[in-house]
Amino acid sequence: MNRYISNRTWLMNLKPMWLREKLFWKLYLNQKTTLTLFEQAKLEFAPQVYLKLMPTDVSHKQIAYSGFYELPVSRRIAKLAKAGGLMVDVVANYGYYSCIWAAAGVNNRVVAFEASP
Protein backbone atom coordinates (compact mmCIF):
# COMPACT_ATOMS: atom_id res chain seq x y z
CA MET A 1 0.00 0.00 0.00
CA ASN A 2 1.22 3.48 -0.86
CA ARG A 3 2.76 5.22 2.18
CA TYR A 4 0.69 8.36 1.60
CA ILE A 5 -2.59 6.45 1.44
CA SER A 6 -1.82 4.58 4.68
CA ASN A 7 -0.94 7.89 6.38
CA ARG A 8 -4.21 9.41 5.27
CA THR A 9 -6.18 6.37 6.37
CA TRP A 10 -4.62 6.50 9.82
CA LEU A 11 -5.38 10.18 10.25
CA MET A 12 -8.92 9.96 8.81
CA ASN A 13 -9.85 7.24 11.30
CA LEU A 14 -8.65 9.23 14.29
CA LYS A 15 -11.28 10.49 16.73
CA PRO A 16 -11.98 13.09 18.02
CA MET A 17 -11.94 15.17 14.87
CA TRP A 18 -10.43 18.22 16.55
CA LEU A 19 -7.36 16.12 17.30
CA ARG A 20 -7.24 14.98 13.67
CA GLU A 21 -7.26 18.63 12.64
CA LYS A 22 -4.43 19.54 15.05
CA LEU A 23 -2.30 16.62 13.86
CA PHE A 24 -2.80 17.56 10.23
CA TRP A 25 -1.42 21.06 10.89
CA LYS A 26 1.46 19.68 12.96
CA LEU A 27 2.48 16.58 10.97
CA TYR A 28 1.21 16.75 7.41
CA LEU A 29 0.92 20.36 6.25
CA ASN A 30 4.49 20.56 4.95
CA GLN A 31 4.86 16.92 3.99
CA LYS A 32 5.47 16.07 0.36
CA THR A 33 2.26 14.94 -1.23
CA THR A 34 1.31 12.67 -4.03
CA LEU A 35 -1.56 13.25 -6.43
CA THR A 36 -3.22 10.00 -5.33
CA LEU A 37 -4.43 11.70 -2.17
CA PHE A 38 -6.23 14.36 -4.15
CA GLU A 39 -7.87 12.31 -6.88
CA GLN A 40 -10.82 11.05 -4.80
CA ALA A 41 -10.82 12.76 -1.43
CA LYS A 42 -13.58 11.44 0.82
CA LEU A 43 -15.54 13.99 2.86
CA GLU A 44 -16.17 13.36 6.56
CA PHE A 45 -19.50 15.22 6.53
CA ALA A 46 -20.65 13.78 3.20
CA PRO A 47 -19.13 10.27 3.01
CA GLN A 48 -20.82 9.47 -0.30
CA VAL A 49 -19.07 12.43 -1.98
CA TYR A 50 -15.52 12.43 -3.32
CA LEU A 51 -13.76 15.58 -4.48
CA LYS A 52 -10.91 15.97 -6.92
CA LEU A 53 -8.63 18.46 -5.18
CA MET A 54 -5.50 20.48 -5.97
CA PRO A 55 -2.36 19.67 -3.95
CA THR A 56 -1.22 23.31 -4.11
CA ASP A 57 -4.19 24.57 -2.06
CA VAL A 58 -3.83 24.35 1.75
CA SER A 59 -7.56 23.80 2.34
CA HIS A 60 -7.59 21.06 -0.30
CA LYS A 61 -4.62 19.44 1.42
CA GLN A 62 -6.41 19.45 4.76
CA ILE A 63 -9.48 17.83 3.19
CA ALA A 64 -7.36 15.21 1.43
CA TYR A 65 -5.64 14.22 4.68
CA SER A 66 -8.40 14.68 7.26
CA GLY A 67 -11.69 14.59 5.35
CA PHE A 68 -12.84 18.07 6.36
CA TYR A 69 -11.95 21.75 6.50
CA GLU A 70 -12.83 24.33 9.16
CA LEU A 71 -14.38 21.85 11.60
CA PRO A 72 -16.83 24.20 13.41
CA VAL A 73 -18.22 25.58 10.13
CA SER A 74 -18.49 22.11 8.60
CA ARG A 75 -20.36 20.81 11.64
CA ARG A 76 -22.75 23.79 11.56
CA ILE A 77 -23.55 23.38 7.86
CA ALA A 78 -24.09 19.63 8.28
CA LYS A 79 -26.46 20.30 11.19
CA LEU A 80 -28.43 22.97 9.31
CA ALA A 81 -28.58 20.79 6.20
CA LYS A 82 -30.57 18.11 8.06
CA ALA A 83 -33.57 20.48 8.00
CA GLY A 84 -33.24 20.75 4.22
CA GLY A 85 -33.82 23.67 1.92
CA LEU A 86 -31.84 25.90 -0.38
CA MET A 87 -28.25 26.96 0.21
CA VAL A 88 -26.79 29.87 -1.75
CA ASP A 89 -23.01 29.49 -1.68
CA VAL A 90 -21.40 32.76 -2.80
CA VAL A 91 -17.66 32.53 -3.41
CA ALA A 92 -18.04 28.76 -3.42
CA ASN A 93 -14.44 28.04 -4.40
CA TYR A 94 -14.45 24.28 -5.11
CA GLY A 95 -17.87 23.67 -3.52
CA TYR A 96 -16.89 21.87 -0.32
CA TYR A 97 -19.73 23.34 1.77
CA SER A 98 -22.16 22.95 -1.15
CA CYS A 99 -21.33 19.24 -1.28
CA ILE A 100 -22.01 18.84 2.45
CA TRP A 101 -25.38 20.59 2.06
CA ALA A 102 -26.47 18.70 -1.06
CA ALA A 103 -25.42 15.31 0.33
CA ALA A 104 -27.48 15.75 3.51
CA GLY A 105 -30.83 15.18 1.82
CA VAL A 106 -32.47 14.54 -1.53
CA ASN A 107 -34.58 17.69 -1.20
CA ASN A 108 -31.61 19.95 -0.44
CA ARG A 109 -30.72 22.34 -3.25
CA VAL A 110 -27.62 24.43 -3.85
CA VAL A 111 -26.92 27.47 -5.96
CA ALA A 112 -23.15 28.05 -5.94
CA PHE A 113 -21.18 30.94 -7.44
CA GLU A 114 -17.45 31.22 -7.96
CA ALA A 115 -16.01 34.13 -9.91
CA SER A 116 -12.50 32.72 -10.21
CA PRO A 117 -11.92 30.12 -12.92
Side-chain angles (χ1 to χ4, degrees), residues 87-116:
M87 175 189 192
V88 179
D89 190 355
V90 179
V91 190
N93 197 328
Y94 46 95
Y96 167 73
Y97 297 118
S98 297
C99 288
I100 292 172
W101 186 273
V106 293
N107 293 322
N108 286 8
R109 300 289 180 248
V110 174
V111 177
F113 299 95
E114 176 53 54
S116 174

Short mmCIF file of all heavy atoms in Angstrom, two decimals, residues 87-116:
data_model
loop_
_atom_site.label_atom_id
_atom_site.label_comp_id
_atom_site.label_asym_id
_atom_site.label_seq_id
_atom_site.Cartn_x
_atom_site.Cartn_y
_atom_site.Cartn_z
N MET A 87 -29.47 26.29 -0.24
CA MET A 87 -28.25 26.96 0.21
C MET A 87 -27.71 27.76 -0.97
O MET A 87 -27.56 27.23 -2.07
CB MET A 87 -27.19 25.96 0.65
CG MET A 87 -25.86 26.60 0.99
SD MET A 87 -24.61 25.33 1.24
CE MET A 87 -23.31 26.29 1.96
N VAL A 88 -27.44 29.04 -0.74
CA VAL A 88 -26.79 29.87 -1.75
C VAL A 88 -25.35 30.05 -1.28
O VAL A 88 -25.10 30.65 -0.24
CB VAL A 88 -27.50 31.23 -1.92
CG1 VAL A 88 -26.78 32.08 -2.95
CG2 VAL A 88 -28.95 31.01 -2.32
N ASP A 89 -24.43 29.49 -2.04
CA ASP A 89 -23.01 29.49 -1.68
C ASP A 89 -22.30 30.50 -2.58
O ASP A 89 -21.98 30.22 -3.73
CB ASP A 89 -22.45 28.09 -1.86
CG ASP A 89 -21.04 27.92 -1.30
OD1 ASP A 89 -20.45 28.91 -0.84
OD2 ASP A 89 -20.55 26.77 -1.31
N VAL A 90 -22.09 31.71 -2.05
CA VAL A 90 -21.40 32.76 -2.80
C VAL A 90 -19.92 32.67 -2.48
O VAL A 90 -19.53 32.51 -1.33
CB VAL A 90 -21.97 34.14 -2.42
CG1 VAL A 90 -21.25 35.25 -3.18
CG2 VAL A 90 -23.47 34.19 -2.68
N VAL A 91 -19.09 32.77 -3.50
CA VAL A 91 -17.66 32.53 -3.41
C VAL A 91 -17.45 31.08 -2.98
O VAL A 91 -16.81 30.77 -1.98
CB VAL A 91 -16.95 33.53 -2.45
CG1 VAL A 91 -15.44 33.41 -2.57
CG2 VAL A 91 -17.37 34.96 -2.72
N ALA A 92 -18.00 30.19 -3.75
CA ALA A 92 -18.04 28.76 -3.42
C ALA A 92 -16.70 28.06 -3.51
O ALA A 92 -16.55 26.96 -3.00
CB ALA A 92 -19.04 28.05 -4.33
N ASN A 93 -15.73 28.68 -4.19
CA ASN A 93 -14.44 28.04 -4.40
C ASN A 93 -14.68 26.70 -5.09
O ASN A 93 -15.27 26.65 -6.15
CB ASN A 93 -13.66 27.93 -3.09
CG ASN A 93 -12.18 27.66 -3.31
OD1 ASN A 93 -11.79 27.02 -4.25
ND2 ASN A 93 -11.35 28.16 -2.41
N TYR A 94 -14.30 25.60 -4.49
CA TYR A 94 -14.45 24.28 -5.11
C TYR A 94 -15.73 23.58 -4.68
O TYR A 94 -15.98 22.44 -5.05
CB TYR A 94 -13.23 23.40 -4.80
CG TYR A 94 -12.84 23.45 -3.34
CD1 TYR A 94 -13.29 22.51 -2.45
CD2 TYR A 94 -12.05 24.50 -2.88
CE1 TYR A 94 -12.96 22.59 -1.11
CE2 TYR A 94 -11.71 24.58 -1.54
CZ TYR A 94 -12.17 23.63 -0.67
OH TYR A 94 -11.84 23.71 0.66
N GLY A 95 -16.57 24.21 -3.86
CA GLY A 95 -17.87 23.67 -3.52
C GLY A 95 -17.91 22.71 -2.35
O GLY A 95 -18.84 21.91 -2.22
N TYR A 96 -16.94 22.77 -1.47
CA TYR A 96 -16.89 21.87 -0.32
C TYR A 96 -18.16 21.97 0.52
O TYR A 96 -18.81 20.96 0.80
CB TYR A 96 -15.64 22.18 0.52
CG TYR A 96 -15.64 21.52 1.88
CD1 TYR A 96 -15.42 20.15 2.02
CD2 TYR A 96 -15.85 22.27 3.03
CE1 TYR A 96 -15.42 19.55 3.26
CE2 TYR A 96 -15.84 21.68 4.28
CZ TYR A 96 -15.63 20.32 4.39
OH TYR A 96 -15.64 19.72 5.63
N TYR A 97 -18.54 23.17 0.93
CA TYR A 97 -19.73 23.34 1.77
C TYR A 97 -21.00 23.00 0.98
O TYR A 97 -21.95 22.44 1.54
CB TYR A 97 -19.82 24.76 2.34
CG TYR A 97 -18.67 25.08 3.26
CD1 TYR A 97 -17.78 26.10 2.96
CD2 TYR A 97 -18.45 24.34 4.41
CE1 TYR A 97 -16.72 26.39 3.80
CE2 TYR A 97 -17.40 24.62 5.26
CZ TYR A 97 -16.53 25.65 4.95
OH TYR A 97 -15.48 25.93 5.78
N SER A 98 -21.01 23.30 -0.30
CA SER A 98 -22.16 22.95 -1.15
C SER A 98 -22.36 21.44 -1.20
O SER A 98 -23.49 20.95 -1.18
CB SER A 98 -21.96 23.49 -2.56
OG SER A 98 -21.91 24.89 -2.57
N CYS A 99 -21.26 20.71 -1.25
CA CYS A 99 -21.33 19.24 -1.28
C CYS A 99 -21.90 18.69 0.03
O CYS A 99 -22.72 17.77 0.01
CB CYS A 99 -19.96 18.64 -1.55
SG CYS A 99 -19.39 18.87 -3.24
N ILE A 100 -21.48 19.27 1.14
CA ILE A 100 -22.01 18.84 2.45
C ILE A 100 -23.53 19.06 2.48
O ILE A 100 -24.29 18.19 2.88
CB ILE A 100 -21.33 19.58 3.60
CG1 ILE A 100 -19.87 19.17 3.71
CG2 ILE A 100 -22.05 19.32 4.92
CD1 ILE A 100 -19.06 20.00 4.69
N TRP A 101 -23.96 20.24 2.05
CA TRP A 101 -25.38 20.59 2.06
C TRP A 101 -26.17 19.66 1.14
O TRP A 101 -27.18 19.07 1.55
CB TRP A 101 -25.57 22.04 1.62
CG TRP A 101 -26.97 22.49 1.76
CD1 TRP A 101 -27.98 22.36 0.83
CD2 TRP A 101 -27.57 23.11 2.89
NE1 TRP A 101 -29.15 22.88 1.32
CE2 TRP A 101 -28.92 23.35 2.59
CE3 TRP A 101 -27.08 23.50 4.13
CZ2 TRP A 101 -29.79 23.95 3.47
CZ3 TRP A 101 -27.95 24.11 5.01
CH2 TRP A 101 -29.29 24.32 4.68
N ALA A 102 -25.73 19.50 -0.08
CA ALA A 102 -26.47 18.70 -1.06
C ALA A 102 -26.53 17.23 -0.65
O ALA A 102 -27.55 16.56 -0.87
CB ALA A 102 -25.84 18.84 -2.44
N ALA A 103 -25.47 16.72 -0.05
CA ALA A 103 -25.42 15.31 0.33
C ALA A 103 -26.29 14.98 1.53
O ALA A 103 -26.61 13.81 1.77
CB ALA A 103 -23.98 14.90 0.61
N ALA A 104 -26.72 15.98 2.28
CA ALA A 104 -27.48 15.75 3.51
C ALA A 104 -28.92 15.33 3.27
O ALA A 104 -29.56 14.79 4.17
CB ALA A 104 -27.45 16.99 4.39
N GLY A 105 -29.45 15.57 2.09
CA GLY A 105 -30.83 15.18 1.82
C GLY A 105 -31.21 15.34 0.36
O GLY A 105 -30.70 16.25 -0.32
N VAL A 106 -32.09 14.50 -0.12
CA VAL A 106 -32.47 14.54 -1.53
C VAL A 106 -33.23 15.81 -1.90
O VAL A 106 -33.26 16.20 -3.07
CB VAL A 106 -33.30 13.30 -1.94
CG1 VAL A 106 -32.46 12.04 -1.87
CG2 VAL A 106 -34.55 13.18 -1.11
N ASN A 107 -33.84 16.46 -0.93
CA ASN A 107 -34.58 17.69 -1.20
C ASN A 107 -33.73 18.95 -1.01
O ASN A 107 -34.22 20.05 -1.24
CB ASN A 107 -35.82 17.77 -0.31
CG ASN A 107 -36.82 16.69 -0.68
OD1 ASN A 107 -36.99 16.39 -1.86
ND2 ASN A 107 -37.45 16.10 0.31
N ASN A 108 -32.49 18.79 -0.59
CA ASN A 108 -31.61 19.95 -0.44
C ASN A 108 -31.17 20.42 -1.83
O ASN A 108 -30.84 19.62 -2.69
CB ASN A 108 -30.38 19.60 0.39
CG ASN A 108 -30.70 19.47 1.85
OD1 ASN A 108 -31.86 19.49 2.25
ND2 ASN A 108 -29.67 19.34 2.67
N ARG A 109 -31.14 21.73 -1.99
CA ARG A 109 -30.72 22.34 -3.25
C ARG A 109 -29.61 23.33 -2.97
O ARG A 109 -29.54 23.94 -1.90
CB ARG A 109 -31.89 23.07 -3.92
CG ARG A 109 -33.05 22.18 -4.25
CD ARG A 109 -32.68 21.24 -5.41
NE ARG A 109 -33.78 20.36 -5.74
CZ ARG A 109 -33.78 19.04 -5.54
NH1 ARG A 109 -32.74 18.45 -5.00
NH2 ARG A 109 -34.79 18.30 -5.88
N VAL A 110 -28.75 23.52 -3.98
CA VAL A 110 -27.62 24.43 -3.85
C VAL A 110 -27.52 25.29 -5.10
O VAL A 110 -27.65 24.79 -6.22
CB VAL A 110 -26.29 23.67 -3.68
CG1 VAL A 110 -25.10 24.61 -3.68
CG2 VAL A 110 -26.29 22.84 -2.41
N VAL A 111 -27.30 26.57 -4.89
CA VAL A 111 -26.92 27.47 -5.96
C VAL A 111 -25.55 28.01 -5.54
O VAL A 111 -25.42 28.65 -4.50
CB VAL A 111 -27.91 28.65 -6.13
CG1 VAL A 111 -27.43 29.60 -7.21
CG2 VAL A 111 -29.30 28.12 -6.45
N ALA A 112 -24.52 27.68 -6.31
CA ALA A 112 -23.15 28.05 -5.94
C ALA A 112 -22.53 28.96 -7.01
O ALA A 112 -22.70 28.71 -8.22
CB ALA A 112 -22.30 26.79 -5.77
N PHE A 113 -21.85 29.99 -6.55
CA PHE A 113 -21.18 30.94 -7.44
C PHE A 113 -19.70 31.00 -7.11
O PHE A 113 -19.34 31.08 -5.94
CB PHE A 113 -21.76 32.35 -7.25
CG PHE A 113 -23.22 32.47 -7.56
CD1 PHE A 113 -24.15 32.37 -6.54
CD2 PHE A 113 -23.67 32.68 -8.85
CE1 PHE A 113 -25.50 32.48 -6.79
CE2 PHE A 113 -25.01 32.80 -9.12
CZ PHE A 113 -25.94 32.70 -8.11
N GLU A 114 -18.89 31.00 -8.13
CA GLU A 114 -17.45 31.22 -7.96
C GLU A 114 -16.97 32.04 -9.13
O GLU A 114 -17.06 31.60 -10.28
CB GLU A 114 -16.69 29.90 -7.87
CG GLU A 114 -15.19 30.06 -7.79
CD GLU A 114 -14.75 31.00 -6.68
OE1 GLU A 114 -15.12 30.81 -5.52
OE2 GLU A 114 -14.00 31.94 -6.99
N ALA A 115 -16.45 33.22 -8.86
CA ALA A 115 -16.01 34.13 -9.91
C ALA A 115 -14.66 33.72 -10.52
O ALA A 115 -14.39 33.98 -11.68
CB ALA A 115 -15.93 35.55 -9.38
N SER A 116 -13.83 33.09 -9.73
CA SER A 116 -12.50 32.72 -10.21
C SER A 116 -12.55 31.41 -10.99
O SER A 116 -13.17 30.44 -10.54
CB SER A 116 -11.56 32.56 -9.01
OG SER A 116 -10.32 32.07 -9.43
#
